[in-house]
Amino acid sequence: MARYVPLTPESLAATSLPGLPSAPDRTFPAYEGYSIANLPSSICAWLGVPLLEGAAPPLAEPYHQPLNSRFRRVVVLVVDGLGWYFTQQRGGLALAGVDPIYALPLTSIVPSTTATALTTLWTGTYPARHGILGYEMWLKEYGLIANMILHNPASYNGDFGSLRLAGFDPETFLSVPVLAPHLASYGVRTLGLMHVAIARSGLSQMLMRGCDILPFRNSSDLWVTLEHILDETTNRTSYIYAYWGDLDELSHRFGPEDARVDLEFNVLRLLLQRLLQPRLSRRWEDTLFLVVADHGFVSTPRYARYELRQHPQLKQDLLMPPSGENRLPYLFPRPGRAEDVRAYVESAWPGEFEVISTQQAIQSGLFGPGQPNPILYERLGEWVLLPREQAYLWWANKENSLFGRHGGLHPREMLVPLCAWVL
């Protein structure tokens, strides 16, 4: 279990886990009330619905005390890639007339990445239980490393959803229940606003079963649709989920400090003001509007020394390519070569990666407390690499094109905002 003293960004950034080395540039998830894993149970509580089976506990008291009420509607806007420190350094999300009731930090989960985080937000369970452990993941039952967003073999370009050819069914893959059918059983409808390009994707099918999907084509479409939903006068209890991925895409391609990312953030602020200001003034006070993120970002300049093709000895000692995240790689050594792999990592990148065993990572609670899903042991391989500062490992057989990444444990990746308004 994480040890921390709530509730400042500094205290959350200083979380620790038993048996894992701490460092100033390393933040562990605060799973017992201060992480995004705790948000789904709070959403259920705000809607007057029992918690999901096996879900993490609700958010800690500082998040509930100002919102000690039930609501007819809960709206959650997930802004992919919106880190806490990034947000605060740019003035936060408060604008004239739309100050939030609170803007507090949460930790992400591990790995701090979209496929894992969204699975947590739709199941209320820790990664250790739902078993989605990164952008790429070894699936022993299908004999391949899969892209867990596109649902195709990780080495493929295009051909999205082709895991179905191996018998993969996104609607039955998870071993834990998802949120929308649970809410429906208590009379709560769930709406999902997703970009048209991903509204029917494999990941959406896996997580959003029982959800009424409303595809949107661009930001104008999304925000006007939200306005219409918020202006409905129906008495039906609802959960509305909206996902905005533009900030994430720009941060990957150009780096999180690029002017394009700053402009996109300012667009977010203005659109929030347009949406919230007129609806705050009518004081219906039956709708809780939340903004949260799945993860933040670190800048990662292109360095050839982080590319696996520059390290043929390491490639030779691995049974298969790494999986997981560039910022949290999982290594599968050949039989008898585990210690050679560890030694190579420590000599090739001295002080840049902490090499820990899969058993150590799981037992420490890195992926969540409690009894883990046994499948974690086969999906994580032998070693988990914890990066320092800007370190990463690039193994894809294509150009290393990213200037911003996430998935690791840096405070800029791990701390995200939770902002709340009552409309």
Side-chain angles (χ1 to χ4, degrees):
M1 182 184 299
R3 298 189 301 273
Y4 47 86
V5 178
L7 177 71
T8 66
E10 293 74 24
S11 63
L12 287 183
T15 56
S16 62
L17 287 172
L20 292 184
S22 298
D25 60 348
R26 184 171 295 158
T27 292
F28 293 112
Y31 286 126
E32 298 297 324
Y34 298 87
S35 79
I36 63 172
N38 306 106
L39 181 57
S41 288
S42 288
I43 290 168
C44 289
W46 284 318
L47 290 169
V49 170
L51 307 189
L52 272 160
E53 178 187 353
L59 291 165
E61 183 62 20
Y63 304 90
H64 275 277
Q65 195 277 331
L67 304 171
N68 189 18
S69 177
R70 284 178 55 175
F71 296 93
R72 181 171 63 88
R73 295 180 298 195
V74 173
V75 183
V76 173
L77 173 64
V78 176
V79 182
D80 196 330
L82 183 66
W84 170 264
Y85 288 110
F86 173 92
T87 304
Q88 295 308 110
Q89 288 167 358
R90 289 157 180 79
L93 291 177
L95 286 170
V98 293
D99 286 349
I101 291 175
Y102 63 63
L104 295 172
L106 292 173
T107 71
S108 186
I109 39 69
V110 172
S112 53
T113 194
T114 301
T116 306
L118 295 191
T119 304
T120 290
L121 288 174
W122 278 100
T123 66
T125 58
Y126 307 114
R129 189 157 190 264
H130 64 60
I132 305 300
L133 302 172
Y135 180 64
E136 295 181 359
M137 191 168 72
W138 164 243
L139 298 180
K140 182 179 179 180
E141 61 268 43
Y142 299 107
L144 50 79
I145 297 174
N147 181 308
M148 294 311 298
I149 288 184
L150 305 179
H151 288 179
N152 60 2
S155 58
Y156 281 23
N157 290 318
D159 206 14
F160 305 147
S162 59
L163 283 185
R164 285 186 177 273
L165 299 176
F168 178 92
D169 183 352
E171 295 193 6
T172 61
F173 181 72
L174 289 177
S175 61
V176 294
V178 293
L179 189 57
H182 173 73
L183 294 178
S185 67
Y186 292 92
V188 179
R189 71 168 180 172
T190 302
L191 301 178
L193 282 69
M194 306 286 291
H195 192 275
V196 66
I198 58 174
R200 308 296 178 188
S201 70
L203 186 64
S204 296
Q205 291 179 57
M206 186 171 77
L207 301 180
M208 301 174 72
R209 300 192 308 274
C211 180
D212 294 331
I213 303 292
L214 301 178
F216 62 85
R217 296 188 174 276
N218 53 34
S219 291
S220 300
D221 190 2
L222 165 63
W223 290 87
V224 172
T225 300
L226 275 174
E227 290 176 0
H228 292 167
I229 290 171
L230 292 177
D231 291 339
E232 288 181 351
T233 56
T234 176
N235 290 323
R236 186 171 182 185
T237 306
S238 302
Y239 173 54
I240 298 100
Y241 169 94
Y243 170 84
W244 197 18
D246 293 353
L247 196 77
D248 177 82
E249 182 178 355
L250 291 170
S251 298
H252 275 303
R253 184 175 297 275
F254 300 105
E257 304 303 319
D258 187 81
R260 298 169 183 84
V261 180
D262 280 342
L263 182 57
E264 190 69 20
F265 178 71
N266 287 330
V267 169
L268 170 64
R269 285 161 50 95
L270 292 173
L271 289 171
L272 273 173
Q273 185 178 38
R274 169 193 161 97
L275 178 75
L276 298 178
Q277 192 169 35
R279 290 160 185 89
L280 284 165
S281 62
R282 69 189 181 194
R283 304 188 67 83
W284 285 359
E285 297 188 351
D286 65 349
T287 300
L288 175 60
F289 190 97
L290 302 171
V291 174
V292 72
D294 48 355
H295 57 76
F297 266 90
V298 292
S299 297
T300 54
R302 297 175 186 171
Y303 293 127
R305 62 193 178 89
Y306 291 139
E307 297 179 10
L308 188 59
R309 59 191 169 196
Q310 305 293 331
H311 302 271
Q313 181 59 56
L314 180 57
K315 289 181 65 176
Q316 183 177 336
D317 287 340
L318 294 176
L319 185 64
M320 64 180 79
S323 62
E325 297 288 327
N326 295 160
R327 290 274 299 160
L328 199 81
Y330 311 143
L331 303 186
F332 296 74
R334 291 169 52 199
R337 308 298 289 180
E339 288 305 320
D340 299 273
V341 168
R342 180 211 281 269
Y344 188 93
V345 170
E346 291 175 346
S347 63
W349 300 287
E352 296 190 80
F353 293 99
E354 198 92 40
V355 184
I356 64 170
S357 70
T358 288
Q359 184 173 8
Q360 184 182 5
I362 294 173
Q363 291 182 351
S364 72
L366 185 63
F367 300 100
Q371 187 66 30
N373 188 330
I375 207 155
L376 265 64
Y377 289 93
E378 67 183 40
R379 290 182 177 173
L380 290 172
E382 183 82 16
W383 300 120
V384 177
L385 303 189
L386 307 183
R388 301 293 306 276
E389 297 294 345
Q390 297 175 310
Y392 62 90
L393 188 60
W394 178 261
W395 57 82
N397 190 26
K398 58 184 177 181
E399 180 189 1
N400 176 13
S401 59
L402 305 181
F403 285 98
R405 297 173 216 260
H406 53 82
L409 299 169
H410 195 283
R412 298 190 73 89
E413 294 165 288
M414 283 295 294
L415 290 185
V416 299
L418 178 65
C419 302
W421 294 263
V422 174
L423 309 181

